[in-house]
Structures are given as C-alpha cells and as structure tokens.
Amino acid sequence: MNRFIAVASLFAAAQSFAAEPSANAQVDQKAAFERLKSLAGEWQGQAGAGTNAFPATVTYRLASGGSVVLETIMPGTPHEMLSIYHLDGGNLVMTHYCASANQPKMKLDTTASTKDELKFAFAGGTNLDPAKDGHMHAGALKFDGASLVADWTMWAGGKEQGHHVFNLKRASAAAAPAAPAAPAPAAKPAGKSAAAPQPKH
C-alpha cells in the first residue's frame, strides 16, 4: 500500500512539473513590447534608498503610431533623461539618452527575463567607450500590479559601479486617444421646390 502511494505521489509530481513552463523558456519579445506599452502614463515614487532617497517621477508614452515607447525619467528637471524602446525585426531593443551625453543601446535578454521582469543587456552605444567611460550598462523592469521597480546598472572603468533603483507606483494612466468624429452628413444640393398644387375652381 505504501509503495502504491509513493508511486502515485511521484506520478503526480511529474505531471505537475511537466505542466509548468520551463524556467529557461525564452520570453516572447513582441509580448514583452506589449507589456511595455501597458506602462503608458505617469509613475511616481522614489529613487535610491535611505538618506539618499529622493522623489522620482517617470512617464511612459506611446509614439509613432504605437511603434515606440518613450520613457522619460525625471521629466522637467535638470536630470531628465529619455529612453526609447521599439522592436527591431523580432528583437526588443532600447536606446538610453543619458544626461552624461552618451547613448548606450540595450536589447532584451530573453533567457534572463520573465513575463513579469524584463531584463536588458548592453549592446553597444554612441559617445562612449564601455571599457572606461561611465554609462548605463544594463537594466530591469519588474512589474507588480500597480507597482514598478526599475533597476539600472551603472558601469565605469569596465566594471559595475552600482545601481539606480526606482520604486514606483502608477499615478495616472495615459488617456486613450479620442475616436475620430463621425463625418457630418453631406448637405443636399438646393433644388427647385415643387410647385404647390393649384386649387381647382
């Protein structure tokens, strides 16, 4: 009897394991881009931690017919920076336009990412030498309902120097574009009105 129970338990565990998606399954890049689109709106919270924490705002906006996502960090401040995400063929890529006047490029790391955490790896850039210049080298966006954690990895001298972490909550969602107004009905051309029938005498 005990042997039967043990075999049954092993069978059930095997079935459960087979039903679960593989931890190494690659994230679909188009689905990841759609997840990024869902961020459209304003997010508020704090950057850093402890005594170094400060209020932070990040906004996301769709542009170019929904083909790109524009991320603005600290809009309207001297520290404002912009990142642009888009699909390049089937690959999700981004360019970060840094206040340091360089532009690191990254692409989605499909093996390290999950549907709830998108991780981006360094893929080159402009106005920087990754072996010595300070730059944003990697990033991760972790989704948790109405919360978002953005973790950006800084490099200098060819090695990691620290992280800039933003803990954010949705402040407002982007308004859906208004539907185009229905065209007004065409006016009928003016014509001669029918002559009123004459009374018979």
Side-chain angles (χ1 to χ4, degrees), residues 185-194:
K188 294 181 179 179
K192 295 181 180 179
S193 57

Side-chain angles (χ1 to χ4, degrees), residues 4-168:
F4 174 81
I5 293 174
V7 171
S9 298
L10 286 172
F11 179 78
Q15 291 292 97
S16 175
F17 180 80
E20 293 178 359
S22 169
N24 296 324
Q26 292 192 346
V27 171
D28 181 82
Q29 307 214 42
K30 291 183 179 179
F33 184 55
E34 291 301 316
R35 193 74 188 269
L36 278 175
K37 287 184 178 183
S38 74
L39 295 175
E42 182 176 300
W43 296 74
Q44 295 179 348
Q46 70 174 29
T51 57
N52 295 322
F54 57 91
T57 297
V58 180
T59 64
Y60 293 88
R61 181 170 67 88
L62 307 186
S64 302
S67 64
V68 302
V69 175
L70 277 66
E71 174 189 66
T72 307
I73 300 173
M74 307 296 291
T77 74
H79 305 291
E80 179 177 290
M81 291 182 284
L82 180 70
S83 297
I84 300 180
Y85 302 80
H86 65 92
L87 288 169
D88 179 11
N91 299 313
L92 179 54
V93 299
M94 66 91 81
T95 301
H96 175 68
Y97 296 86
C98 189
S100 300
N102 56 36
Q103 302 81 34
K105 298 179 184 295
M106 304 179 203
K107 62 181 180 179
L108 185 69
D109 185 340
T110 56
T111 55
S113 298
T114 68
K115 67 181 184 65
D116 292 322
E117 185 172 18
L118 304 181
K119 294 188 176 183
F120 292 85
F122 185 72
T126 53
N127 293 316
L128 65 90
D129 179 348
K132 59 182 181 179
D133 296 330
H135 65 281
M136 198 83 78
H137 192 79
L141 296 173
K142 188 174 182 178
F143 302 79
D144 184 12
S147 299
L148 175 69
V149 177
D151 184 347
W152 300 105
T153 305
M154 297 297 302
W155 271 39
K159 59 184 179 180
E160 182 178 321
Q161 296 294 329
H163 292 252
H164 291 313
V165 180
F166 294 77
N167 288 283
L168 306 166

